[in-house]
Amino acid sequence: MESWDLSDLGIEADEVGLENARTVVDAVAQRPASTAGTIVKGEGEGEGEGEGGGGKELAEFLAGQKFI
């Protein structure tokens, strides 16, 4: 693996680090506990999705989550 230091990249040490960061973290929060989630079983309507379909239920779920 090849690695570079600041001088290899032509960057001065006073140009990097926390004081020169382009972003600022305003707040942090603990990640919520995982939930059981939703399982879409291929038992509904669908054309060409293989055994049992399930495409319609999957599309409805994804649309409800605003993924599509």
Side-chain angles (χ1 to χ4, degrees):
M1 178 180 0
E2 190 172 352
S3 63
W4 302 288
D5 61 22
L6 294 177
S7 63
D8 294 331
L9 301 172
I11 300 172
E12 298 294 327
D14 62 352
E15 296 177 16
V16 297
L18 183 59
E19 292 186 19
N20 294 300
R22 302 212 185 261
T23 60
V24 176
V25 176
D26 289 330
V28 295
Q30 189 166 352
R31 181 177 169 185
S34 296
T35 59
T38 301
I39 297 174
V40 178
K41 297 181 180 185
E43 298 174 355
E45 297 177 20
E47 297 177 6
E49 288 90 7
E51 295 182 25
K56 183 176 179 181
E57 288 88 349
L58 178 57
E60 288 172 352
F61 172 77
L62 294 173
Q65 299 298 313
K66 299 186 186 273
F67 289 125
I68 58 171

